[in-house]
Amino acid sequence: MEVNSSQVEHIPVLARTLVEQINLPQDGVMVDATIGQGGHSLLFGTSLGSDGVIIALDVDKKAIRGAQLKLKDLACKVIYIYANFSEIDNLVREQGVEKVDFILADLGLCSSQLSDSEIGLSFQTDMPLDMRIDKRLRLSAADIINKTTQKNLADLIFKFGQERFSRRIARFIVRERQGRPITTTGQLSSIICRAVGQPERKRKSKIHPATRTFQALRIAVNNELENLEKLLASASGLLGVNGRIAIISFHSLEDRLVKLNFKANEKAGIYKIITKKPIVASREEISSNQRARSAKLRIAEKT
Ligand SMILES: C[S@@+](CC[C@H](N)C(=O)[O-])C[C@H]1O[C@@H](n2cnc3c(N)ncnc32)[C@H](O)[C@@H]1O
């Protein structure tokens, strides 16, 4: 089924908390490393004057087009760059900007991307098994699923999905692909359900049996952890004194990288950590936006 992803409105998570924690001067420069549909940037952009700048990055062209529409009436300048935030250092300097006041990364995906059949991430709807948010990437999820050895597949599902049935799932995948290639999300999801359905039911797990494997594949296809590490490594050099970095993450592997980076920078006297513990969404926010359920926000300030 073709899903019109532009109809799906993305609600920015932890928006009120972020606005309370970040004070941008009217002529401030902010990098929104994950512009998405521009929800967060709209909130910050309204407090920027005509000398303010938002440098907006995304690896999804459709998301950039959506953000352009949403932010078209802002007084500040918005520079859109179709690029990966792992390159943040060069991208910002290429704009003639040396220091910024705020870096925001709201990791993961927009609601519209989850249902976008061109990206192919959903196990609820049958779609081509792709998962590349950035279509310039070489390997799709189908390439990985059909070409990786059983052992490497099991390791990948375990490492990035923290899936305890990884070996069993990899075995079922390899058995299936010997008959015919695995090309759709529905096909993969049903193999996983067959592999772990029964043990999962015994465990009375609330999440869909395919959740962890799909997460693992998405992380691998889009090099998510590597990109985040590069962003974190460059950020301290780009922030001006008292500038802040805020990262919203959605799984423990990402949150751990953020926590370790902030701690190391604090130890080196480069950052002051603003959020001793990650900020999570209130019950009210979660009840109106399910995506907020697993969000964790960490903020640090350049000293
Ligand atoms: C959760 S959405 C951001 C939503 C946005 N804060 C809003 O309020 O509309 C995450 C966005 O990050 C983008 N993205 C993911 N990884 C990226 C990367 N390495 N570099 C740049 N953009 C990335 C995705 O394409 C997606 O549009």
Side-chain angles (χ1 to χ4, degrees):
M1 186 181 68
E2 186 67 23
V3 178
N4 183 353
S5 58
S6 61
Q7 289 167 350
V8 186
E9 180 65 20
H10 178 87
I11 310 168
V13 300
L14 294 164
R16 203 184 315 154
T17 317
L18 263 175
V19 170
E20 282 164 9
Q21 292 287 339
I22 309 294
N23 272 320
L24 278 180
Q26 281 226 333
D27 61 350
V29 181
M30 128 173 207
V31 182
D32 188 338
T34 53
I35 189 74
Q37 292 183 7
H40 285 116
S41 271
L42 182 64
L43 294 171
F44 288 104
T46 46
S47 68
L48 292 173
S50 55
D51 291 333
V53 180
I54 299 176
I55 300 176
L57 315 180
D58 209 292
V59 284
D60 180 358
K61 271 194 180 161
K62 269 193 211 168
I64 291 184
R65 282 198 292 274
Q68 280 171 325
L69 269 181
K70 187 171 276 173
L71 306 179
K72 68 180 178 1
D73 296 326
L74 288 180
C76 66
K77 183 172 170 189
V78 189
I79 302 166
Y80 298 93
I81 312 177
Y82 170 46
N84 198 302
F85 60 54
S86 60
E87 300 291 324
I88 189 170
D89 205 17
N90 289 338
L91 296 167
V92 170
R93 292 187 205 285
E94 271 166 21
Q95 300 305 318
V97 174
E98 289 299 320
K99 294 287 170 203
V100 305
D101 300 291
F102 178 38
I103 297 173
L104 170 66
D106 174 19
L107 303 171
L109 299 157
C110 289
S111 315
S112 54
Q113 290 169 326
L114 282 170
S115 52
D116 187 338
S117 50
E118 277 177 31
I119 301 183
L121 284 162
S122 174
F123 48 76
Q124 318 280 8
T125 317
D126 197 19
M127 303 173 171
L129 182 62
D130 190 319
M131 298 198 184
R132 285 171 298 176
I133 303 172
D134 188 344
K135 292 299 171 204
R136 296 169 295 191
L137 287 170
R138 208 168 47 85
L139 290 183
S140 69
D143 291 326
I144 293 179
I145 283 292
N146 289 297
K147 292 180 187 156
T148 309
T149 63
Q150 183 172 322
K151 176 178 182 309
N152 288 350
L153 209 47
D155 289 348
L156 181 155
I157 297 169
F158 184 72
K159 185 171 163 206
F160 296 144
Q162 295 154 314
E163 168 62 70
R164 58 197 282 248
F165 302 115
S166 56
R167 310 231 154 263
R168 198 174 152 82
I169 293 172
R171 196 167 67 243
F172 272 63
I173 289 172
V174 168
R175 196 189 300 157
E176 179 84 10
R177 77 187 188 193
Q178 279 159 359
R180 60 177 176 144
I182 300 162
T183 55
T184 72
T185 58
Q187 204 184 340
L188 178 61
S189 168
S190 83
I191 297 165
I192 299 167
C193 286
R194 261 183 280 136
V196 305
Q198 234 180 349
E200 281 278 8
R201 267 198 297 280
K202 260 193 213 147
R203 218 162 46 130
K204 296 197 172 62
S205 172
K206 285 202 188 102
I207 65 166
H208 187 284
T211 307
R212 294 191 188 87
T213 304
F214 271 59
Q215 171 187 301
L217 272 173
R218 200 198 78 203
I219 291 175
V221 167
N222 295 291
N223 305 316
E224 291 183 15
L225 299 180
E226 216 178 298
N227 292 335
L228 176 58
E229 277 180 324
K230 289 185 182 160
L231 168 74
L232 291 167
S234 302
S236 61
L238 278 175
L239 285 170
V241 175
N242 299 330
R244 287 191 171 188
I245 174 166
I247 311 273
I248 303 172
S249 62
F250 292 86
H251 55 75
S252 57
L253 298 171
E254 287 171 341
D255 183 54
R256 189 163 174 277
L257 290 181
V258 180
K259 180 170 95 178
L260 293 178
N261 175 277
F262 284 9
K263 276 200 169 159
N265 274 307
E266 187 168 63
K267 207 169 163 204
I270 297 168
Y271 281 168
K272 179 176 128 201
I273 295 176
I274 304 298
T275 48
K276 293 293 166 213
K277 284 201 170 143
I279 300 176
V280 295
S282 65
R283 227 181 288 161
E284 287 138 274
E285 179 172 353
I286 294 170
S287 69
S288 59
N289 183 8
Q290 276 296 300
R291 262 192 86 252
R293 203 183 37 203
S294 48
K296 289 203 168 113
L297 165 66
R298 291 187 188 266
I299 303 173
E301 183 176 286
K302 178 87 177 273
T303 53

